Amino acid sequence: MGPNKNFFTAKLTSWHATENQRSLPWKSEKDPYKIWLSEVILQQTRAQQGLPYYLAFTEAYPTVQDMAAAADEQPFRLWQGLGYYNRCKNMLATARYISKELNGQFPKTYEELLQLKGIGPYTAAAISSFAYGLPDAVVDGNVYRVLARFFGIDTPFDTTEGKRTFSALAQELLDTKASAAYNQAIMDLGATVCMPRNPLCDNCPLQKKCIAFHQELIDVLPVRSKKQSVRNRYFNYLLLKYNDTLWIHKRTGNDIWENLHEPYLIETAEPLTTATLSKNTQFEDLNIPFNEIIYEGKTTQRLTHQFITASFFTANLAKKPSIHSQTGIWLNTSDLKNIAFPRTLVSFLENNLYF
Ligand code: SF4
């Protein structure tokens, strides 16, 4: 290792031992199940937002067997509000696999952990180092940022070459005798000192030799290869109400909000009004008198690559329409609170209509 690399590892390790104040309940955890749980929750979620979910999950399911035995709906209900529901689906599938096929025992090496559904290189390294002390370096957004800035690396981190470069460097820098502490240190430094905007360079143990700091490159590092395009989607929900029931169905397929419920959906590429809704062919198939439609309002949600606008239209029906295009059930509105909906819909339905 070159002198800057030695400096990096030594300073980071001593900062962690003396100054790092970041305290989170999963830190120093040795149980691979709880480490895995915290990492799954924290993917694409800030620590403070993920914290109550971690506590709720560990209370409801103290062991992987407890989670494996949960009824399908329950983990999704607890997950509400975190988004990216595929994470929850994979988590449940993996818990059941470990419970059934591996006798409730988590795999004990990086390579074996990588075989599990929903566990990528980052999570495998986190579990192997935190639970078992194995010499596997974690590489996540925090690590890309700290390494790119300190070493002045302008290779885009989201390319094959970039991933290889940063992973190899992270592995080289790892304090192999204290991999858990080192991995925790670099992630905490990225989260609390070398933040994306306005990093606290004056409090940083790496400042003396940091290339981005000395060459004024903080705002341009790390480099991403391309701007991510965002797709606009318009979800027009028909709240089909018959007596005290509402028609809902479970989302399936390889799309957002899989396994969560929603009212009758007409998805369009452009926003709909009550007037344009009445001309939509999917709406026409329902054969609902147009004068029964009331526009209730809309809500939006920004995802990584999508911007969802959900609009709500109520139809108070005198008779049930025949619904061909989607399968679902008529549920009593008093039971809606027991059903897992996407958070975007829950907040609207709660505030405006039902719960
Ligand atoms: S000196 Fe500033 S830019 Fe460099 S690693 Fe520290 S916080 Fe990040």
Side-chain angles (χ1 to χ4, degrees):
M1 268 207 306
N4 280 4
K5 291 177 181 170
N6 288 331
F7 171 90
F8 182 94
T9 302
K11 287 289 180 190
L12 189 63
T13 308
S14 71
W15 171 81
H16 185 62
T18 56
E19 285 176 65
N20 184 7
Q21 303 288 333
R22 198 170 188 224
S23 133
L24 291 165
W26 50 79
K27 280 178 80 164
S28 308
E29 181 61 64
K30 296 283 175 221
D31 178 350
Y33 163 68
K34 290 186 179 154
I35 295 164
W36 168 66
L37 191 56
S38 70
E39 297 301 342
V40 174
I41 289 173
L42 290 188
Q43 286 163 20
Q44 291 149 316
T45 302
R46 281 176 298 107
Q48 283 315 315
Q49 192 200 347
L51 183 57
Y53 289 88
Y54 173 79
L55 297 174
F57 268 96
T58 46
E59 192 184 328
Y61 314 119
T63 67
V64 71
Q65 284 96 336
D66 294 323
M67 181 182 286
D72 275 2
E73 285 291 306
Q74 287 165 1
F76 285 97
R77 189 90 202 148
L78 279 184
W79 191 269
Q80 262 181 8
L82 272 177
Y84 303 96
Y85 287 89
N86 253 339
R87 285 189 287 162
C88 186
K89 188 180 152 205
N90 288 338
M91 183 173 75
L92 193 55
T94 298
R96 288 177 176 161
Y97 177 81
I98 291 171
S99 178
K100 194 158 167 258
E101 306 294 331
L102 306 180
N103 217 7
Q105 298 297 310
F106 259 79
K108 291 203 163 35
T109 67
Y110 175 84
E111 285 73 20
E112 288 169 336
L113 286 160
L114 260 190
Q115 303 301 318
L116 297 174
K117 200 170 188 172
I119 295 194
Y122 165 76
T123 307
I127 297 173
S128 84
S129 63
F130 296 147
Y132 310 126
L134 294 173
D136 296 305
V138 293
V139 184
D140 71 347
N142 286 317
V143 175
Y144 287 136
R145 188 166 57 255
V146 173
L147 296 185
R149 285 176 175 169
F150 180 82
F151 290 98
I153 303 169
D154 60 4
T155 311
F157 64 84
D158 55 345
T159 58
T160 309
E161 187 200 346
K163 283 183 189 144
R164 201 180 301 124
T165 303
F166 283 103
S167 297
L169 178 59
Q171 195 59 41
E172 201 184 336
L173 294 163
L174 180 72
D175 180 347
T176 52
K177 293 192 200 67
S179 59
Y182 173 88
N183 278 339
Q184 196 65 63
I186 192 164
M187 288 195 295
D188 286 351
L189 189 89
T192 64
V193 179
C194 193
M195 292 100 80
R197 280 185 205 89
N198 304 321
L200 308 175
C201 299
D202 287 344
N203 299 335
C204 179
L206 307 175
Q207 191 204 72
K208 192 170 158 203
K209 296 194 177 189
C210 174
I211 291 182
F213 177 79
H214 291 290
Q215 298 183 14
E216 297 190 5
L217 294 171
I218 290 169
D219 291 340
V220 296
L221 294 175
V223 174
R224 183 186 282 281
S225 67
K226 50 189 173 297
K227 281 239 175 311
Q228 293 173 341
S229 62
V230 174
R231 172 181 164 213
N232 279 311
R233 298 177 73 180
Y234 297 92
F235 288 4
N236 307 283
Y237 285 113
L238 285 186
L239 305 167
L240 301 175
K241 294 168 80 178
Y242 176 74
N243 292 337
D244 289 331
T245 62
L246 180 79
W247 189 91
I248 58 166
H249 85 128
K250 192 188 246 191
R251 287 179 69 90
T252 52
N254 197 11
D255 197 357
I256 61 166
W257 302 345
E258 194 183 351
N259 285 328
L260 299 179
H261 292 79
E262 64 184 355
Y264 188 86
L265 171 66
I266 298 175
E267 182 177 351
T268 51
E270 300 291 333
L272 287 186
T273 62
T274 31
T276 50
L277 172 67
S278 70
K279 296 189 182 70
N280 178 279
T281 50
Q282 194 182 330
F283 176 78
E284 282 175 346
D285 283 350
L286 289 172
N287 233 342
I288 297 170
F290 173 58
N291 59 10
E292 290 187 14
I293 299 294
I294 303 159
Y295 174 65
E296 303 280 6
K298 68 178 180 183
T299 183
T300 57
Q301 186 182 359
R302 169 98 202 218
L303 303 170
T304 315
H305 300 292
Q306 306 185 28
F307 190 83
I308 309 292
T309 301
S311 302
F312 298 86
F313 301 85
T314 294
N316 290 302
L317 303 164
K319 67 179 177 79
K320 288 182 182 174
S322 48
I323 300 172
H324 304 297
S325 57
Q326 302 178 34
T327 53
I329 55 166
W330 293 90
L331 189 76
N332 201 297
T333 48
S334 60
D335 293 328
L336 289 172
K337 59 183 176 306
N338 302 320
I339 298 291
F341 287 96
R343 183 79 222 159
T344 316
L345 305 196
V346 173
S347 47
F348 188 87
L349 295 171
E350 268 179 358
N351 291 338
N352 294 277
L353 299 161
Y354 294 107
F355 304 160

